[in-house]
């Protein structure tokens, strides 16, 4: 049974725009967040095996104080930034965007030399504003706010 009217993998052929595109962008961000959490868990397991301790012991050590929690949040933000830029630069989209049939820029824009700089600007802007703020504002306003600011707009394949 397909999702009627959602445009997800075989829905209507018209391109998603406005609120629908912003909603799909938010969904793509959620998928990317889940992937980053899974990668973090894999690193936690590898680290605990290398240190010959339990994963819970490593978690207790990492979440011992507020300053350590802030450091982990900063490391996660930088890792998210690196993931998004590298995936978009080398693959053309993040895994979440690929799953939701969303791309940054039209095909001819992705071939331009300044595409990487625009990806860098857009991703930095989103990460610096807290990852949720600009996509949520885009959903409220019904447009691609980070795209208007950075010059690199979302493009729906469906």
């Amino acid at each position: 049974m397909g999702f009627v009217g959602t445009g997800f993998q075989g829905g209507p052929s018209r391109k998603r725009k406005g609120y629908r595109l912003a909603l799909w962008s938010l969904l793509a961000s959620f998928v990317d967040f889940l992937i980053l959490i899974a990668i973090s868990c894999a690193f936690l397991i590898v680290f605990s095996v290398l240190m010959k301790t339990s994963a819970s012991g490593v978690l207790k050590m990492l979440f011992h104080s507020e300053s350590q929690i802030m450091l982990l949040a900063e490391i996660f933000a930088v890792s998210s930034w690196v993931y998004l830029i590298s995936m978009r630069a080398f693959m053309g989209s993040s895994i979440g965007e690929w799953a939701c049939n969303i791309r940054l820029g039209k095909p001819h824009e992705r071939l331009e030399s300044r595409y990487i700089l625009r990806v860098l600007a857009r991703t930095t802007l989103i990460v610096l504003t807290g990852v949720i703020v600009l996509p949520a504002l885009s959903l409220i306003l019904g447009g691609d706010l980070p795209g208007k600011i950075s010059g690199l707009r979302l493009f729906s394949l469906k």
Side-chain angles (χ1 to χ4, degrees), residues 97-124:
E97 292 165 346
W98 173 80
C100 294
N101 288 320
I102 297 172
R103 302 293 182 270
L104 287 181
K106 295 192 177 193
H108 67 87
E109 293 175 321
R110 290 193 294 270
L111 297 175
E112 296 175 357
S113 59
R114 63 183 179 189
Y115 174 75
I116 302 282
L117 295 174
R118 287 183 173 176
V119 167
L120 183 68
R122 181 186 173 100
T123 305
T124 302

Side-chain angles (χ1 to χ4, degrees), residues 22-40:
L23 187 60
W24 281 98
S25 173
L26 203 56
L27 179 63
S29 297
F30 181 69
V31 170
D32 288 328
F33 174 75
L34 291 177
I35 288 169
L36 286 164
I37 291 294
I39 291 169
S40 299

Side-chain angles (χ1 to χ4, degrees), residues 64-120:
H64 181 68
S65 68
E66 189 174 314
S67 62
Q68 287 175 320
I69 294 172
M70 288 302 297
L71 177 65
L72 287 174
E74 291 167 3
I75 291 170
F76 188 79
V78 169
S79 299
S80 301
W81 182 76
V82 169
Y83 162 78
L84 288 170
I85 289 174
S86 60
M87 289 298 290
R88 288 171 172 167
F90 296 115
M91 304 297 290
S93 64
S94 68
I95 295 173
E97 292 165 346
W98 173 80
C100 294
N101 288 320
I102 297 172
R103 302 293 182 270
L104 287 181
K106 295 192 177 193
H108 67 87
E109 293 175 321
R110 290 193 294 270
L111 297 175
E112 296 175 357
S113 59
R114 63 183 179 189
Y115 174 75
I116 302 282
L117 295 174
R118 287 183 173 176
V119 167
L120 183 68

Side-chain angles (χ1 to χ4, degrees), residues 125-144:
L125 180 68
I126 290 172
V127 170
L128 286 178
T129 59
V131 181
I132 298 295
V133 175
L134 283 179
L137 281 174
S138 294
L139 185 60
I140 292 168
L141 298 174
D144 181 23

